[in-house]
Structure formats: C-alpha cells, structure tokens
Amino acid sequence: NGSNRVLTRSLQNWHTHLAMQLNARDFSDGFPLHRWLNEAIFPTESRITPEYVRVGTSAAAAEMIRTGSTFAADMYFFPAVTGEVLTNAGLRGLVGGPVSDAALPSHDSAESALTELDQLLSQNREDDLVQYAIATHSVYLCSKETLQQASELAERRSGRLHIHVSETRKEVADCKETNGLYPVEYLESIDFLKPGTIFAHASWVKKNEIRMMAEHDVTAVHCPSSNMKLACGGTLSFPPYRDAGVDVRIGTDGAASSGNGLNLLHEARLASLVQRHDHWDSTLLPAQDSFKMATKDSQDWVAWNLDDIRMRPLGRSNNRHLANLIYNGGVCLDVLVNGRFLRKNGETKTLDEKQIIDQLDEAVHTYYEDVE
C-alpha cells in the first residue's frame, strides 16, 4: 500500500561505459589514467566481441535497475547490442557508438564507425526509450577531420555528441602544445560544438571555456569517483558552471577500475562532498540540490524502502528522506518506466539477475582463459 515507501523520480546516469561491467572491477586498481588506458583497458578491449558487450551490458542494466537508475548516456563498442539490451530491459538510454582514430576493435577506421552511426542515427524515433548518439572519444584520440565529420553527422541526423573533455592536466597541456588552444577552445574553433553535446569530466577548464559551454548549450558531466580514483588531480568545479548557467549532470564512468559501479546515489553523495571539500564551502550541493542534479529530466519513478534503517529517523514532518538517501543510501523496491514495473517489491522483473551473474562469471573466465 506504499506506507513503507518514498516515491521519487528515478536517477539519471550521464556518462557510462556499461559493458565494462565485464571487466574484473579492480584488475588495474592503482593505475593512473593513461597507464590504465594503455596497459589495461585498450589491450583488454582489443578482444571485445558483441557477445561480451551483451553480457556486460546486461549486468550493467541489472545493476542500474537494482539501484534506481533508469537512464544512461553510454559510450561503448557495438552500440546496437547495447541498445537492444537496454530496450529489452525497459530502460532508457542515449547510446553512443565510439569514434576514434585508434583503439577501435569494432571498426578498422573512424570512417567505418561513422558509417555505422549514420545508419543507427537514422533509426532514432522520438518516442523510443533508447536513442543513438556519436561518442567521439577525445581530442587526443580523434583527429580534427574525425571530429568535424562527427559534428557534421550530428547536425545532419539531429543527433547528440558525447566526448571526454579535459579529464587530466596532461590532456590539456598536450592539446595546448599541439593546437595552441585548450580543449574546449579547440573544439569550438573547429565548429565541433552543437546544442546538447555532452562533455564528460570537464575538470581542467578555464572560465572562458565554461562560458563557451553555456553559449553552445553543452551538458557537462561531473564524474567525481572516477576522477578521484584515477588521481586526476581535480574534478569538475561546480560554482563557475552554476554561475555560467551550464547544464551539469552526474555520471559514474565505467566499472573497470574507474567509477567501479553504477550506483548513482553513491555518486551524488560524492559529488556533494567533493565540492564542499574543494571549495571550503559547506553550503554547496546540499542533499536536495544533489538529488535534483541526479534526477533532472527524469520521466520515471523509483520507490525506496522507508523501513530500511538507513532511512531513519524520518525527521520532523518526514523531511529527511532525501538527505538519508544521498548521504546514507537506500534500498530500491520498485522501478517504473513508462508505467511498466522493471522492479517490484524488491525483485527485478525484466532481467534474470542470477542468470546474468552466471553469464558474467563465465564470460570473464573464458576471456582470461583465452588470453592465457
């Protein structure tokens, strides 16, 4: 009857690599970003297959439902497979097919990747839960020509762009040395930016770059756990983004020794705490604001268990629900997308978690057996 539940809008995860659930979560724990990419992630992903992506994305979808998220802006190989898994699970997604001039196991060139995305973007329908996007990896893995071709395709197909931007000081310094401009300045100079473009991380930026994001209606994604775990030296600085009027969302990044999971409540908590810590300001991102950022534009619903000890005390006039959820977590009982129960009374209905666990374990075992 709902008496032991609090109903909220669902969580929205704006930067993911969903199929990375396939990777053993701490197999490269302790690596800095570029060593993590070049020694752990890229060699592992060179052997990725559509079946591995299906298994990894299924595990990610199950974790999303269990933790109250109904949307992911994803960036990973074989996007059609990811789109199918999310659709069958009843989730929403903005599925970005990766584009770069290197590290593409699913294509032999950026042009080939863009050709596939042209076909996928042509399938986008306004009422579909899953839409496709163009996930250019970064300024350091995409040439000027590749970035411009991706931007032109986005404009022609009314699609969205998704890119890693200014995640580390090295990336910023290399871009300045190579192009004479900082990453956001460079992307604007080549006419890459389009309304709705997603900038993941956007940590090491100048104020004029933040103003550029506002002018072009860019969405910036705060990924604190990923930046902190990989010791990037900084995370997105919220106050100047707020002051400039940039749309800021929260993302978990990938599970392979980066964000390490898809629990957006945990990420929203860290988003709040790191802003206060970095700016010496305890008024930044209180629970209500952090929760608003984590659920912005959600059309769906989640019911959380009020009988969970972590949700007590309820507070005067039952006013502590959001603070309890953000700072202490909670048990997700029900998830409704488009009026359909994906999870009901603590049981996921659209996916078989036990079967997915078995498939995930088997896929990881098979992969490492093949490597050996």
Side-chain angles (χ1 to χ4, degrees):
N1 62 12
S3 63
N4 69 328
R5 286 161 162 78
V6 58
L7 193 66
T8 74
R9 286 297 189 180
S10 62
L11 301 163
Q12 313 283 285
N13 195 336
W14 276 84
H15 181 59
T16 63
H17 307 287
L18 292 175
M20 276 188 174
Q21 303 297 103
L22 181 69
N23 296 322
R25 293 187 187 222
D26 277 326
F27 80 116
S28 54
D29 189 24
F31 283 22
L33 176 65
H34 288 279
R35 185 181 172 201
W36 175 75
L37 286 172
N38 292 309
E39 295 182 30
I41 296 303
F42 292 158
T44 300
E45 290 181 339
S46 68
R47 301 174 58 84
I48 205 77
T49 66
E51 178 59 17
Y52 283 141
V53 170
R54 185 191 66 78
V55 172
T57 305
S58 296
E63 185 170 339
M64 284 177 61
I65 294 171
R66 176 174 278 272
T67 55
S69 290
T70 63
F71 168 84
D74 195 51
M75 177 189 288
Y76 212 68
F77 310 107
F78 304 108
V81 176
T82 299
E84 181 182 3
V85 171
L86 293 181
T87 298
N88 291 339
L91 291 165
R92 299 181 191 270
L94 185 64
V95 177
V99 179
S100 76
D101 295 302
L104 272 179
S106 51
H107 292 280
D108 57 9
S109 66
E111 288 77 14
S112 173
L114 288 167
T115 298
E116 179 196 21
L117 286 171
D118 188 13
Q119 189 270 329
L120 289 175
L121 288 166
S122 71
Q123 299 176 20
N124 281 345
R125 300 292 180 267
E126 188 175 347
D127 58 348
D128 288 344
L129 295 182
V130 172
Q131 306 283 326
Y132 290 97
I134 306 165
T136 42
H137 186 277
S138 57
V139 297
Y140 56 87
L141 285 185
C142 294
S143 66
K144 175 183 176 181
E145 292 72 25
T146 294
L147 290 168
Q148 289 176 324
Q149 289 170 8
S151 183
E152 289 164 4
L153 175 58
E155 185 165 1
R156 179 161 53 84
R157 289 294 190 187
S158 300
R160 293 183 74 162
L161 294 158
H162 187 169
I163 184 171
H164 300 100
V165 171
S166 300
E167 187 174 357
T168 67
R169 289 177 294 179
K170 183 181 187 306
E171 171 191 341
V172 172
D174 288 350
C175 184
K176 183 69 162 65
E177 182 178 354
T178 302
N179 304 296
L181 297 167
Y182 292 97
V184 180
E185 295 173 337
Y186 169 66
L187 291 171
E188 186 190 48
S189 75
I190 64 172
D191 198 29
F192 177 82
L193 305 183
K194 298 288 180 288
T197 296
I198 300 167
F199 279 5
H201 304 289
S203 306
W204 292 91
V205 295
K206 300 184 300 173
K207 287 187 177 180
N208 73 306
E209 292 181 287
I210 294 174
R211 290 193 293 271
M212 289 177 183
M213 294 183 218
E215 290 166 6
H216 291 281
D217 294 325
V218 165
T219 294
V221 188
H222 186 19
C223 304
S225 64
S226 173
N227 296 146
M228 294 174 77
K229 188 169 187 186
L230 291 171
C232 293
T235 64
L236 179 149
S237 179
F238 179 66
Y241 278 90
R242 175 199 59 201
D243 296 344
V246 177
D247 178 28
V248 178
R249 308 298 179 98
I250 299 175
T252 58
D253 208 347
S257 195
S258 181
N260 246 62
L262 293 165
N263 191 328
L264 208 74
L265 278 182
H266 291 174
E267 202 72 21
R269 174 181 185 271
L270 194 55
S272 171
L273 297 182
V274 74
Q275 294 300 325
R276 298 179 188 201
H277 175 272
D278 287 354
H279 295 281
W280 292 46
D281 184 351
S282 62
T283 69
L284 285 176
L285 283 181
Q288 283 193 333
D289 291 352
S290 185
F291 196 81
K292 185 182 298 183
M293 186 186 294
T295 59
K296 187 176 180 180
D297 291 339
S298 170
Q299 304 171 59
D300 306 310
W301 300 97
V302 173
W304 307 92
N305 186 4
L306 283 178
D307 289 339
D308 180 356
I309 190 63
R310 292 173 297 173
M311 291 295 290
R312 300 304 176 98
L314 301 180
R316 183 180 299 175
S317 304
N318 287 338
N319 64 350
R320 285 190 51 84
H321 297 329
L322 293 185
N324 288 336
L325 277 173
I326 289 293
Y327 296 125
N328 213 22
V331 173
C332 169
L333 292 177
D334 309 305
V335 176
L336 294 103
V337 175
N338 258 7
R340 177 191 181 192
F341 275 101
L342 310 191
R343 185 172 176 84
K344 190 172 184 179
N345 294 325
E347 181 183 354
T348 298
K349 297 294 185 181
T350 56
L351 294 168
D352 184 335
E353 283 193 2
K354 178 60 170 65
Q355 182 183 61
I356 290 171
I357 289 170
D358 291 343
Q359 291 173 346
L360 187 67
D361 289 344
E362 177 61 27
V364 171
H365 175 76
T366 300
Y367 173 84
Y368 286 107
E369 192 175 62
D370 289 346
V371 170
E372 292 169 1

